[in-house]
Amino acid sequence: MSQVRVRFAPSPTGFFHIGSARTALFNWLYARHTGGVFILRIEDTDKERNSDQFLNLIYDSLHWLGLNWDEGPKVGGEFGPYLQSQRGAVYREYLEKLKATGRTYEKDGATWFKLIGERSEVFDDHRKKTVTKVKTAPTVIDDLIRGRVERLEDEDFVIVRSDGNPVFHFTNVVDDIAMRITHVIRGEDHLSNTSKHVELFKAFGVPVPQFAHIPLILKQNGPGKMSKRDQGALIEEYQKRGFLPAALVNFLSLLGWNPGGDREKMPVEEIVRLFDLPGVNQSNARFDDKKLAHVNMLYLLELPPDTFVEKARQYFEAQHPDAPALKAKAAYFRDVMLLSQPKIKGLEELPAYTAYFFTEDYVVDPKVREKVMAKGDPKARLHELIGALAVFDFSTDSAIEDSIKNLGGRHNLAFGDYQAVARLGVSGTNAGPSITGMFRLLGREKVEERLKRLLGS
Ligand code: GLU
C-alpha cells in the first residue's frame, strides 16, 4: 500500500476545543502508527468568520500538545500552499477539469454539480427556488469506524456560489485530491457531507479515500454533544490551568478509542504503537473531568523533582505572579513543592494548597477549627507541644515524629492525639502534606508562633 497521508483541516473560526484536539490527535496517531504523513490544512475560506487570533491558537495548541505536522503552514511541503485562502488557482484548475467531464452546469450565476440519474426540476417552497431532483442509487461509504453507510444524494448541489467563491464540499475534496490524502479522519458531524464528497471524488475520476468518522464527545452531564461553551471544552483553559500536555494527550486518546483492557496511563509511544482505526468505538464518548484529573495526577506523580519544581514555578509565574511563594527562597519553594507533589491532582491546586507555607496571613477554616477544638482537650495538647518544642529534633521527618511520640509517651498519649490540633495550628486546615514535613519546613520558630496564636485565640 502507498504511504498513508492524513490531514487535520480546522477552520480558524473559533476557540480550539477538545473535539478538534482529538481529531488532530487521531490523525497524528494514525500517521505516526503507519509511518505516514500528517498534514495541517487550514480551511479558512469563510472570510467573515476567520481570524488570526484563532489561526494562531490552532498552531499554539497543536505545538503545546506535541502534535507536530509534516506538511502545512510554517513547515511547507510539496502540495502547498496549505491555507485554503491561498489556493484559488488550484480550485479554478479543478473546476475546469470538472467542467470538462460535463458534470457541471450554470444556474442563477452559480456552478452546480450534476448527479447522474433521471432528472426533474422541482420548486422548493422552503428555499423558494427550483432544484434538480435526481433519481439515483444511494452512495455507499465504507467507513473504517462506522462500517458500511448508505446515503441517498438525490439533488444537484452548488459547488461555486454566484459570488465566485467555491463551497466547502468542493474545496475540501479538491484539496484532498491535490494533497493525495489517503484517509479522511474527522468528526462524525461530517458523515452527512460524505456522500456529496464521494460523488465528487468519483466525478474527478480519482480513487475515493478511506473515511473514518470519529464518534462525538458527549457532555459530562446530560444529553448532547459537548459544545464550545461547556466547562472544560477549550484547550487554552487546560494550558492556563497547568495541565500536563502529555496527560491531556493520553486522556484524549482514550475518548473513543480503546486499547483493550482497562489501560489508563500510557506513554505516547505506546499509544502510537497500539493505535488503529478499527479500535475506535462506534459509540459516543463521554467527557469525564475526574478521569482527566486522575490521569493528570498520575503524570505529575512521576515527574522528576527538578521538572516538577520548574513546572510549579512556571504555573505560579503565569497565573499567580503576585503570590508570596514567588518571593520565597528557591530552596524553600522547592521543598514545599516537593512535599506537595504526591498530594495534588493538578498544578492549579498548588497556590491554595501551599499558601500557609509562605505567609502568616493564611485562612483558618472555621468549620475545621470548630471540629478540632471540640474533640478531647486540644488546649492541653497545644500547651504540651509548645512546652516541648525547644527540645524537639527538627532535622528530619522521622526525628520530628519521634519527638512527638516521646512527648505523647510522657502523657500516656499517642502521636495521633497531637496531629489534628498541630495541623490546625500550623496550617489552618485539616488537609495537607504530612504534619512532620510541615513542621520541618516551617521550622521551630514559626511552628511555635503559630501554635501559640491558636492557643491564644
Ligand atoms: N474544516 C472542516 C471542519 O473544521 C474539516 C472538514 C474535514 O475534516 O473534512 O470541520
Side-chain angles (χ1 to χ4, degrees):
M1 204 177 100
S2 61
Q3 189 179 40
V4 164
R5 292 177 58 84
V6 292
R7 85 297 193 278
F8 173 52
S11 300
T13 52
F15 287 99
F16 197 78
H17 58 99
I18 69 164
S20 305
R22 189 192 51 162
T23 301
L25 174 64
F26 280 20
N27 275 282
W28 182 89
L29 286 171
Y30 193 62
R32 296 297 169 257
H33 175 76
T34 55
V37 178
F38 175 55
I39 297 154
L40 175 62
R41 177 171 85 222
I42 304 295
E43 301 209 326
D44 57 348
T45 48
D46 187 343
K47 291 186 193 76
E48 249 104 82
R49 290 173 58 225
N50 292 324
S51 87
D52 280 353
Q53 179 209 349
F54 293 139
L55 180 61
N56 287 324
L57 204 55
I58 294 172
Y59 299 149
D60 289 350
S61 303
L62 292 176
H63 280 309
W64 182 69
L65 290 167
L67 306 180
N68 55 320
W69 55 97
D70 308 306
E71 288 177 28
K74 294 179 190 282
V75 302
E78 211 181 318
F79 304 98
Y82 291 91
L83 274 76
Q84 288 195 327
S85 57
Q86 298 171 5
R87 295 177 61 79
V90 179
Y91 305 135
R92 283 191 292 278
E93 179 196 325
Y94 274 79
L95 184 62
E96 289 315 312
K97 282 190 193 178
L98 199 59
K99 281 184 175 167
T101 67
R103 293 292 299 277
T104 65
Y105 58 90
E106 309 289 320
K107 194 179 79 177
D108 308 328
T111 305
W112 293 69
F113 177 66
K114 196 198 282 180
L115 294 169
I116 292 174
E118 198 185 307
R119 323 177 70 73
S120 58
E121 299 281 302
V122 177
F123 188 76
D124 184 318
D125 279 339
H126 187 63
R127 283 178 288 172
K128 300 267 174 287
K129 63 178 179 186
T130 319
V131 294
T132 306
K133 286 279 179 197
V134 182
K135 260 198 200 142
T136 184
T139 306
V140 176
I141 303 150
D142 277 315
D143 193 277
L144 289 169
I145 297 168
R146 311 288 317 182
R148 184 187 162 100
V149 179
E150 284 188 24
R151 265 188 79 89
L152 182 63
E153 215 47 70
D154 64 352
E155 202 180 292
D156 290 350
F157 55 91
V158 170
I159 50 174
V160 180
R161 285 191 208 92
S162 52
D163 63 7
N165 286 317
V167 304
F168 159 72
H169 304 300
F170 185 74
T171 57
N172 185 267
V173 167
V174 165
D175 284 347
D176 284 344
I177 297 171
M179 294 178 183
R180 315 276 198 274
I181 299 303
T182 60
H183 294 71
V184 172
I185 306 170
R186 60 186 174 190
E188 201 181 270
D189 44 334
H190 284 292
L191 190 56
S192 57
N193 296 323
T194 305
S195 40
K196 286 192 177 64
H197 298 182
V198 168
E199 294 307 323
L200 281 169
F201 280 110
K202 287 194 201 151
F204 277 112
V206 297
V208 180
Q210 297 265 296
F211 287 98
H213 286 93
I214 317 171
L216 301 177
I217 302 177
L218 301 176
K219 18 168 150 251
Q220 175 134 2
N221 304 306
K225 182 184 157 190
M226 191 150 178
S227 88
K228 300 185 189 194
R229 283 169 298 281
D230 285 314
Q231 165 84 16
L234 306 182
I235 295 300
E236 216 185 344
E237 198 179 306
Y238 294 107
Q239 217 170 337
K240 283 198 185 128
R241 289 171 59 193
F243 276 76
L244 300 180
L248 196 57
V249 161
N250 190 152
F251 169 78
L252 286 174
S253 76
L254 298 174
L255 267 183
W257 171 66
N258 192 340
D262 48 9
R263 302 287 311 274
E264 248 177 359
K265 181 168 179 300
M266 296 165 73
V268 72
E269 298 76 26
E270 197 179 349
I271 300 175
V272 165
R273 190 167 62 76
L274 295 175
F275 185 82
D276 206 0
L277 293 171
V280 176
N281 304 330
Q282 281 196 23
S283 52
N284 294 332
R286 193 172 292 280
F287 179 75
D288 179 352
D289 63 356
K290 287 202 185 61
K291 182 166 177 186
L292 171 56
H294 176 72
V295 173
N296 191 59
M297 178 191 74
L298 298 178
Y299 277 81
L300 278 177
L301 266 177
E302 68 169 33
L303 287 184
D306 287 348
T307 315
F308 181 81
V309 174
E310 178 63 22
K311 289 201 182 291
R313 185 171 289 283
Q314 284 166 356
Y315 177 74
F316 271 99
E317 280 167 354
Q319 301 303 324
H320 299 264
D322 298 326
L326 289 173
K327 296 189 188 79
K329 289 213 174 76
Y332 182 70
F333 179 87
R334 178 188 170 86
D335 286 345
V336 172
M337 295 308 142
L338 292 182
L339 188 66
S340 311
Q341 183 178 8
K343 299 288 193 168
I344 54 156
K345 280 200 163 71
L347 296 175
E348 62 182 334
E349 291 173 22
L350 283 173
Y353 193 80
T354 64
Y356 56 84
F357 281 104
F358 301 102
T359 174
E360 290 308 307
D361 190 20
Y362 53 89
V363 188
V364 177
D365 184 325
K367 284 217 183 79
V368 175
R369 188 196 152 94
E370 198 181 316
K371 214 170 128 202
V372 172
M373 297 312 278
K375 200 172 161 217
D377 190 352
K379 294 221 163 182
R381 301 295 84 77
L382 281 171
H383 265 300
E384 289 154 16
L385 275 169
I386 294 165
L389 275 178
V391 296
F392 267 29
D393 178 355
F394 267 78
S395 58
T396 64
D397 284 16
S398 60
I400 292 169
E401 191 178 329
D402 289 344
S403 300
I404 298 177
K405 279 185 180 157
N406 287 342
L407 169 67
R410 291 201 293 281
H411 298 276
N412 234 348
L413 294 167
F415 178 82
D417 294 307
Y418 294 93
Q419 208 161 230
V421 75
R423 188 179 280 285
L424 174 68
V426 296
S427 71
T429 182
N430 59 354
S434 71
I435 182 72
T436 51
M438 284 159 63
F439 268 41
R440 178 171 51 84
L441 294 189
L442 286 165
R444 199 185 314 265
E445 258 170 54
K446 278 216 175 92
V447 170
E448 187 178 344
E449 220 175 274
R450 292 183 182 193
L451 295 183
K452 280 185 175 160
R453 206 184 310 146
L454 177 61
L455 186 62
S457 62

